[in-house]
Amino acid sequence: MNIERLERALDVSSGYRFFILYGSGIEDIFISPQGEAQTIEQALLDYLKRHGYHRVAFIAPHKPVYFLDGESEELASPVRTARLPRQVREPQIEMMYLSDGPLANRMVLKPRGADQPMPQPRTGMGDVFAIRMLDAMMRDTQTCPSAVVFTQAETYLQYTDDPRTLAGVIGEWTRLPADNPNICLFLFSADAYEDLAELAQRIHVPELRSFILSRRNEPSRTMNLAEIGDPDDAEIERLMNYLEKKQGMLIPAGERQKLAEWIAGEGGRARVWMNRLSRYQHFNLQKARQSGWFSAVREKSIPIEERLNSLVGLENVKQRIFELAAWLALKKKRHQLKEGDFPLLHLMFTGSPGTGKTTTARLIGEIYHDIGILKRGHLVEARASDLVADYVGGTGIKTSRLVNQALDGVLFLDEAYMLTEEGRGGFGQEALDTLLTRMEDDRHRLVVIFAGYPEKMERFRQSNPGLARRIPAENVIYFEDYSPEQLWQILQGMLAGRQLVLSEEAEPALKEIITGMYSGRDETFGNAGEMRNLAEAIDRRRAARVFQQHLPPETPVSLEDIPESYRAYLPPPELKLEEVFNELDELVGLTALKKNLRRMARRVQFEQARRRLEKDLPPADLLTHMVFRGNPGTGKTTVARLVGRIYRSLGILRRGHVVEVSRADLVAGYVGQSALRTMAAVRKALDGVLFIDEAYALERGSEQDFGREVIDTLVKAMEDYRDRLVVIAAGYPQPMLKFLESNPGLRSRFSLKLDFPDFTREELGQILCRMAEKERFILNAEVVERALDYLMAQKQRDGKSFGNARSVRTCFEQMKNHLAERLFEKADIQTQSPDTETMITFLPEDVPVLPS
């Protein structure tokens, strides 16, 4: 009987001439079935002898050909004699140089005289002589089947005395007759294939180098790769017996098998486990749990259902995982899980950040370990960038190295869609191809879980047919956002973990804040991560208050411990629709516009009332995107704020705030950046109004203009957030018509178009009088008429650029300047101040005059 890990990796009856051995076992010890600790050479000798290779020769750097058993050395004697150097076998002939005579300046052969000493053969064995001796052994088919073993092959092949001769001889071995039974084994000190590939770059034997670099998935007629791994549970049990026999260590017989399974599942060289176990005089399962050596061993076994139920929310996810675990447990019980026909267990998790994807992945590893699917069940977390290198060939090495770390466990790859995104020089595809190969080849030892945003992950899954086959639709699990109640439960747990107690006013406020955060969320909302940030912010702010005010450490969390940025999520004071209408009516002019806005609000009330009475009605679009057409200063921004307040009073928009932007805020100078800027503005305006002033500036007619990117992004956002966002595009009347034609979706989405006409002379006078009244100034009729004459002359001069109410504000400010100058330029002002009435009364000369 041989050592199991050699039997699994090697098959010398397969017809291969060469075997390239690597892996963690190359530099390990082996425990034989007879209970002996062996080196790799000794273990290989026993293995080869059992398979009929009676002559086994070893060669190592700075060491001649050597044998580990007498039979091999005896069988090698004829070959050794046959390959002695020629000058030793023919000592009576020598070369002589003649300096004179008829044969002057020539080399001649002459018999060696009896009085001349016999040359002594060199001590030791040179590389060339050693290679010639091994060559004779490989070619010998008469004596017995032979095996040649190169230990530390990476060093020998690189630093041999005569690399050309070595390469030529090994090349000839690849062409030996098929009936030649002899084989050659190369032992490389490389734990993983990726390390072996790096070593192969420095090998001077083309046949070996090209085969190693061609990877395992390209078979060869003459060569085979064999990875010698870590010991299995049977060898670990023999290791325990060895330690009991040699060191007197005591291990309970009833726990021995379970311990061996744990150690083999955790992995690692036998040499490492021998050193660890040697520290104990007594060792058992309890000490193993306390050792910290086992990533897949928990203090106590918890049923699968109980572990799943410990997760907050995620009811659909829990059900899917339980069904999967039950199915695998049944197949395991019926012995239907065979390596050649192992089911594909790879999964795809889609959802927003912080929804429990990583936690669930870790739990899957534990469950599969308990069932017996995975030996370790550990979790290796990575991102797409961890797989990709920046040079040709490096990506495959990085990817395989990461997979090797995850073998017998779970590889969790977050933001996996980045592998197929542009801008990675094709290296992302190389990583994915490598990963798909390993997912198939190692599916009995590996579970890969891809994670990311739903839409991006679905595009990622469909981008590669091999990926869609390995992760069918039923293996895609969607993680919903946590509800406000579940987020509150998560926050409570985090605060309790920090030993924080909430005051009576803090608890309802935090619940309102969570509701506000949830209502304002988008696809980047961090869910549990947001609760962690909130808990940390409260903890820091409370700690500062306790320290500064010298309060007891157990002081409860109060409202002031909640940062202002979070308090902004608290609902604003209740607003009544009729109050907003009163504000609207106070605006000067805009009669038709006021009527349209009232009609819009009544329609919303109508739809809401219908749905309260008829629950089965389909949802209605209650928000209306608008176009405001008018010259500057006609009240567009003011009305936009009132629109937000109207919708807030109706309960449609939670905040009703207004975010004002222009082209400069949205358009960037690089492809893709304008879309990012636009979405940032949209997210800021969610649950309120996005007001785009001079929106026509986004359309400038050029195909290369990035304003088009803004428009395309805006159209999609208006659809995606149609129940949380009102977009108002404003600008001059004629340019706004062209803006609506720039994108087919714009005109249909802006269903309400409101005109803001220039103010009449009478309306401008009303605006001026209200400004003066608000600041308690006195305007007589003469002053008003002169001011209106000034404004109308300005309007005639400026045309469309006339500022309307804005121009009135400018005129009013100039009047105050003139009043101040008139009063305080008097010489006696220091001794006699003007009375109150004088200081608030405008005179006709205070009205500005247009320059001639």
Side-chain angles (χ1 to χ4, degrees):
M1 181 178 178
N2 283 299
I3 298 172
E4 293 81 3
R5 46 178 160 163
L6 287 181
E7 289 285 354
R8 286 195 304 269
L10 271 178
D11 182 8
V12 292
S13 63
S14 57
Y16 291 110
R17 179 75 63 198
F18 297 99
F19 293 85
I20 298 173
L21 279 61
Y22 70 99
S24 58
I26 297 298
E27 296 181 349
D28 198 11
I29 60 170
F30 296 77
I31 308 300
S32 72
Q34 293 74 34
E36 299 173 350
Q38 298 180 322
T39 64
I40 182 68
E41 292 98 327
Q42 293 167 330
L44 275 176
L45 176 66
D46 287 352
Y47 172 86
L48 293 169
K49 287 284 187 177
R50 288 180 180 274
H51 284 78
Y53 292 90
H54 300 291
R55 183 169 56 187
V56 181
F58 294 85
I59 187 168
H62 313 297
K63 191 174 183 180
V65 176
Y66 63 98
F67 306 90
L68 299 181
D69 66 306
E71 181 187 25
S72 294
E73 186 166 15
E74 183 178 349
L75 291 172
S77 296
V79 176
R80 181 183 296 173
T81 304
R83 305 307 293 179
L84 285 175
R86 180 173 297 273
Q87 64 266 30
V88 176
R89 300 201 329 253
E90 300 177 4
Q92 302 306 316
I93 304 296
E94 68 174 346
M95 301 292 294
M96 174 178 285
Y97 178 77
L98 300 179
S99 59
D100 54 10
L103 297 177
N105 301 321
R106 286 177 172 83
M107 296 291 293
V108 297
L109 290 171
K110 63 168 287 188
R112 184 183 299 276
D115 57 335
Q116 292 176 311
M118 189 84 162
Q120 298 297 317
R122 292 180 300 168
T123 59
M125 183 185 296
D127 287 346
V128 175
F129 179 39
I131 287 298
R132 291 301 180 191
M133 178 180 173
L134 296 178
D135 181 39
M137 189 180 299
M138 286 291 292
R139 295 177 183 277
D140 180 16
T141 60
Q142 302 299 317
T143 307
C144 64
S146 303
V148 172
V149 181
F150 285 80
T151 62
Q152 300 179 36
E154 70 279 1
T155 302
Y156 192 93
L157 296 173
Q158 186 177 358
Y159 297 108
T160 182
D161 292 345
D162 191 345
R164 181 175 297 181
T165 298
L166 176 63
V169 168
I170 294 178
E172 290 176 5
W173 291 352
T174 65
R175 295 180 288 275
L176 290 175
D179 59 354
N180 184 318
N182 302 324
I183 61 173
C184 180
L185 294 83
F186 296 90
L187 275 57
F188 287 88
S189 300
D191 284 354
Y193 171 79
E194 295 71 36
D195 304 316
L196 177 64
E198 290 183 6
L199 293 175
Q201 303 280 358
R202 300 186 291 272
I203 292 176
H204 298 301
V205 183
E207 288 82 1
L208 292 179
R209 181 175 63 247
S210 61
F211 169 67
I212 293 173
L213 297 179
S214 68
R215 308 185 62 84
R216 285 175 288 193
N217 57 346
E218 297 182 14
S220 167
R221 288 187 304 103
T222 60
M223 300 188 188
N224 185 39
L225 283 177
E227 181 177 4
I228 311 299
D230 297 327
D232 62 5
D233 49 358
E235 189 175 349
I236 293 296
E237 281 202 63
R238 295 198 296 270
L239 173 62
M240 294 178 186
N241 294 335
Y242 176 86
L243 291 174
E244 282 187 326
K245 181 179 179 182
K246 296 292 185 181
Q247 301 182 14
M249 187 178 73
L250 298 177
I251 299 175
E255 299 181 2
R256 191 181 304 254
Q257 182 178 353
K258 177 61 70 175
L259 283 171
E261 290 175 359
W262 285 6
I263 292 174
E266 188 65 26
R269 293 183 171 94
R271 188 188 306 277
V272 172
W273 288 108
M274 177 181 284
N275 291 335
R276 286 176 174 176
L277 296 173
S278 296
R279 305 171 193 169
Y280 292 87
Q281 188 65 31
H282 303 275
F283 194 73
N284 53 32
L285 289 174
Q286 183 60 31
K287 290 183 178 180
R289 288 192 179 96
Q290 298 170 351
S291 67
W293 297 337
F294 303 97
S295 58
V297 174
R298 294 171 297 282
E299 281 294 326
K300 58 180 181 179
S301 180
I302 304 174
I304 292 175
E305 286 186 273
E306 186 175 338
R307 272 181 277 171
L308 287 172
N309 290 331
S310 66
L311 300 176
V312 175
L314 306 177
E315 299 307 323
N316 176 59
V317 175
K318 294 175 185 177
Q319 182 62 30
R320 295 284 299 276
I321 300 302
F322 180 77
E323 290 172 358
L324 190 58
W327 174 65
L328 289 172
L330 187 58
K331 290 181 75 70
K332 181 75 173 178
K333 188 175 182 180
R334 293 179 175 179
H335 306 287
Q336 294 176 343
L337 294 176
K338 300 178 181 178
E339 183 174 329
D341 187 29
F342 208 83
L344 288 170
L345 303 179
H346 311 300
L347 300 168
M348 182 172 287
F349 289 175
T350 68
S352 300
T355 48
K357 297 188 290 294
T358 306
T359 301
T360 304
R362 184 174 290 107
L363 184 56
I364 283 177
E366 295 176 2
I367 292 173
Y368 285 4
H369 170 263
D370 290 350
I371 295 173
I373 303 296
L374 297 174
K375 288 185 178 180
R376 296 179 62 189
H378 64 298
L379 182 73
V380 174
E381 298 181 56
R383 294 183 179 272
S385 56
D386 298 325
L387 277 65
V388 178
D390 54 3
Y391 61 92
V392 176
T395 294
I397 292 174
K398 287 186 70 174
T399 303
S400 286
R401 187 168 288 154
L402 196 64
V403 170
N404 289 338
Q405 295 175 18
L407 284 177
D408 300 312
V410 176
L411 174 60
F412 182 78
L413 188 59
D414 202 10
E415 297 179 349
Y417 51 82
M418 295 178 64
L419 291 175
T420 55
E421 289 183 345
E422 296 181 1
R424 296 189 175 272
F427 296 144
Q429 188 59 49
E430 181 185 348
L432 183 57
D433 292 342
T434 304
L435 197 56
L436 290 174
T437 300
R438 296 298 300 273
M439 288 167 66
E440 183 67 34
D441 294 348
D442 298 307
R443 60 181 179 176
H444 60 292
R445 296 185 60 194
L446 176 70
V447 173
V448 177
I449 299 178
F450 299 98
Y453 295 108
E455 291 184 7
K456 292 183 177 181
M457 290 305 294
E458 182 56 28
R459 288 198 297 270
F460 169 66
R461 193 175 78 90
Q462 298 298 335
S463 67
N464 188 301
L467 184 60
R469 286 196 304 271
R470 287 167 179 81
I471 304 182
E474 56 269 21
N475 283 22
V476 179
I477 300 178
Y478 174 63
F479 286 69
E480 295 180 346
D481 286 346
Y482 290 115
S483 68
E485 294 75 17
Q486 292 164 348
L487 291 171
W488 168 244
Q489 185 179 348
I490 292 170
L491 180 63
Q492 279 184 305
M494 292 178 175
L495 294 174
R498 297 169 183 269
Q499 299 181 335
L500 298 180
V501 179
L502 297 176
S503 62
E504 290 185 3
E505 71 273 11
E507 181 171 328
L510 284 173
K511 288 182 178 179
E512 291 284 2
I513 288 171
I514 290 174
T515 300
M517 294 174 68
Y518 179 82
S519 299
R521 76 193 190 284
D522 58 17
E523 68 273 8
T524 64
F525 181 62
N527 287 278
E530 299 287 352
M531 296 303 98
R532 182 182 61 249
N533 295 339
L534 175 56
E536 289 178 355
I538 291 172
D539 195 8
R540 288 195 301 267
R541 196 175 176 103
R542 174 191 164 279
R545 179 172 65 90
V546 168
F547 180 80
Q548 292 170 352
Q549 300 178 15
H550 307 287
L551 300 174
E554 62 275 8
T555 299
V557 173
S558 68
L559 277 177
E560 60 184 305
D561 297 327
I562 304 174
E564 290 81 359
S565 58
Y566 287 101
R567 274 185 268 173
Y569 287 103
L570 289 170
E574 186 178 353
L575 184 65
K576 295 182 179 180
L577 179 61
E578 295 307 319
E579 294 176 357
V580 183
F581 280 160
N582 290 338
E583 294 181 44
L584 181 65
D585 291 338
E586 289 177 3
L587 297 179
V588 174
L590 306 175
T591 303
L593 180 144
K594 294 173 183 177
K595 186 176 181 179
N596 278 316
L597 289 182
R598 281 179 176 272
R599 182 183 297 122
M600 176 195 74
R602 299 310 182 194
R603 173 62 185 273
V604 171
Q605 290 178 315
F606 169 75
E607 296 291 350
Q608 290 174 325
R610 279 199 67 196
R611 276 149 186 80
R612 283 194 296 268
L613 295 173
E614 302 179 59
K615 305 294 185 182
D616 58 343
L617 283 176
D621 292 333
L622 301 179
L623 295 178
T624 302
H625 302 298
M626 308 176 191
V627 173
F628 286 1
R629 299 179 296 204
N631 293 327
T634 49
K636 297 186 293 295
T637 305
T638 302
V639 173
R641 295 193 181 102
L642 288 172
V643 168
R645 289 164 61 79
I646 288 172
Y647 278 122
R648 193 186 109 201
S649 68
L650 292 167
I652 308 302
L653 292 178
R654 193 182 64 85
R655 298 176 63 191
H657 64 299
V658 176
V659 174
E660 301 178 45
V661 295
S662 63
R663 175 186 168 90
D665 301 308
L666 303 178
V667 177
Y670 304 96
V671 175
Q673 294 299 308
S674 296
L676 295 177
R677 282 192 179 187
T678 303
M679 285 308 301
V682 166
R683 292 188 184 100
K684 190 176 179 181
L686 284 177
D687 301 310
V689 176
L690 178 63
F691 181 79
I692 308 174
D693 198 15
E694 298 181 351
Y696 53 81
L698 296 174
E699 169 51 48
R700 291 186 171 174
S702 170
E703 292 290 338
Q704 286 75 37
D705 185 68
F706 295 126
R708 289 179 178 270
E709 185 179 330
V710 173
I711 294 172
D712 294 340
T713 305
L714 197 59
V715 169
K716 186 177 185 302
M718 291 165 71
E719 179 64 27
D720 293 344
Y721 301 108
R722 59 181 178 273
D723 57 343
R724 295 183 59 194
L725 176 70
V726 171
V727 177
I728 298 177
Y732 291 107
Q734 286 302 121
M736 288 305 295
L737 289 175
K738 185 179 180 182
F739 167 72
L740 292 177
E741 298 294 338
S742 65
N743 185 292
L746 279 179
R747 178 174 290 277
S748 61
R749 282 173 174 79
F750 287 106
S751 54
L752 183 58
K753 302 169 182 64
L754 300 176
D755 292 318
F756 289 72
D758 286 349
F759 291 113
T760 64
R761 180 185 177 94
E762 180 183 355
E763 291 168 345
L764 292 173
Q766 292 179 32
I767 294 171
L768 179 62
C769 290
R770 288 188 181 183
M771 289 180 181
E773 182 181 354
K774 186 177 181 180
E775 298 189 26
R776 300 177 184 175
F777 283 98
I778 298 174
L779 292 173
N780 59 40
E782 184 180 359
V783 172
V784 172
E785 286 301 316
R786 180 172 291 194
L788 290 176
D789 289 341
Y790 166 76
L791 290 169
M792 296 308 292
Q794 190 181 49
K795 180 178 181 180
Q796 185 176 3
R797 182 196 66 183
D798 296 342
K800 293 181 179 180
S801 62
F802 176 66
N804 286 280
R806 203 173 298 160
S807 295
V808 176
R809 166 62 64 184
T810 303
C811 174
F812 182 59
E813 293 298 325
Q814 289 178 329
M815 290 170 64
K816 288 192 289 184
N817 292 339
H818 293 164
L819 173 61
E821 185 179 14
R822 175 169 57 82
L823 293 178
F824 286 87
E825 284 291 337
K826 292 181 179 180
D828 60 349
I829 192 66
Q830 301 296 333
T831 58
Q832 184 179 3
S833 299
D835 57 46
T836 302
E837 184 174 352
T838 302
M839 292 184 66
I840 63 173
T841 302
F842 286 109
L843 298 180
E845 58 262 35
D846 295 330
V847 176
V849 179
L850 286 178
S852 54

